[in-house]
Amino acid sequence: MKLAISGQVFAETHHLEETLEVISRYGVKTIEIWPGNIAALEEEVCPDTYEGRDVSSAKKVLDQFGFSVSCVSMSAAFHSVISADLGTYAAALVRAVEVAKQLGAKLVNHYCYNLSLNIVPDLERIKQAMTPALRLAEREGIVLCLENEAHDATQTPEGMLSIIKAMDSPNFKTNYDAANYYHAGQEGFPFAYNLLKPHIAYVHLKNGCICNPTLGHSEKSKGSVMTGPLAPNYIYYPTLPEGAVNIDGMLDRLSKDGYSGYCTIEPHTKPELAEHYLQVETAYVRERGYF
């Protein structure tokens, strides 16, 4: 398995050079890129897409710092205007695949949020939005990784599986996030893992628990409301060793099952706490001998 760190937590506050300097302190040289990690070429650009961003300069900076890109993430499914028009959304996802090719990444992480909010997936709408990018990904040897979220049609592992089967391509798989399944009141590990194992192309590492301010849970690491049986609690994102998800068991299974892809640490907190999370979490996964 290979270790990477998500650049999302720094996307709104740090230039790419600063982000790479921070990640380098923890002995990691691979980043998951988000739109905000790449400088804008125009005064106003969408925070969820790659249009209007200086990808060529970002590539030079990555090369200068000796970094590779584990995955290119594109969050336009959460943008109400872009996701309302399937053609506009499809173009944004195509652009993300182009950026992945330019940066040397083999994976594109994406979402279905506004494309299919009900627990039963709107498969035709999802196909319309994602097929153009999938066809390009197939030609370029890139895999689209759909991430499960707590508030849309991917909130259950069964829903995710139905989407993957409907897309019917070896270049369409899932970004497996066990904490996001917990957020939805689902058994992220082992049930979701066992159901989706053949389709896992990427893994996000974070943990979660029910937010409880009396335990000292800070607003800086508080997430959104939970769904399923854990609603109406809010999720809280502690460091990897401190949450409700069995991260140790998950990493052990990934290793024993021969998973050779990226596990990307994804701190869900404010930038001022990010280095604390990175210090704890990189040490935690290395102590277990997987990276």
Side-chain angles (χ1 to χ4, degrees), residues 129-151:
M130 299 179 184
T131 296
L134 178 57
R135 296 288 91 87
L136 177 60
E138 289 169 340
R139 294 194 295 271
E140 299 295 348
I142 290 170
V143 175
L144 298 184
C145 302
L146 183 62
E147 182 172 353
N148 57 291
E149 288 288 322
H151 300 89

Side-chain angles (χ1 to χ4, degrees), residues 74-143:
M74 202 279 291
S75 50
F78 295 98
H79 193 287
S80 58
V81 175
I82 292 173
S83 57
D85 183 87
L86 295 184
T88 302
Y89 179 85
L93 190 55
V94 165
R95 178 60 184 149
V97 175
E98 294 170 346
V99 170
K101 180 184 178 183
Q102 194 169 349
L103 297 181
K106 293 297 183 182
L107 305 172
V108 170
N109 180 44
H110 62 121
Y111 304 86
C112 84
Y113 190 65
N114 282 317
L115 303 174
S116 185
L117 286 167
N118 293 328
I119 194 168
V120 177
D122 185 339
L123 296 176
E124 288 308 310
R125 182 173 170 80
I126 290 170
K127 286 181 182 179
Q128 288 181 56
M130 299 179 184
T131 296
L134 178 57
R135 296 288 91 87
L136 177 60
E138 289 169 340
R139 294 194 295 271
E140 299 295 348
I142 290 170
V143 175

Side-chain angles (χ1 to χ4, degrees), residues 8 49 57 88 94 122 152 173 188-189 198 269:
Q8 184 183 24
T49 67
S57 293
T88 302
V94 165
D122 185 339
D152 61 34
K173 295 183 179 293
F189 180 84
T269 188

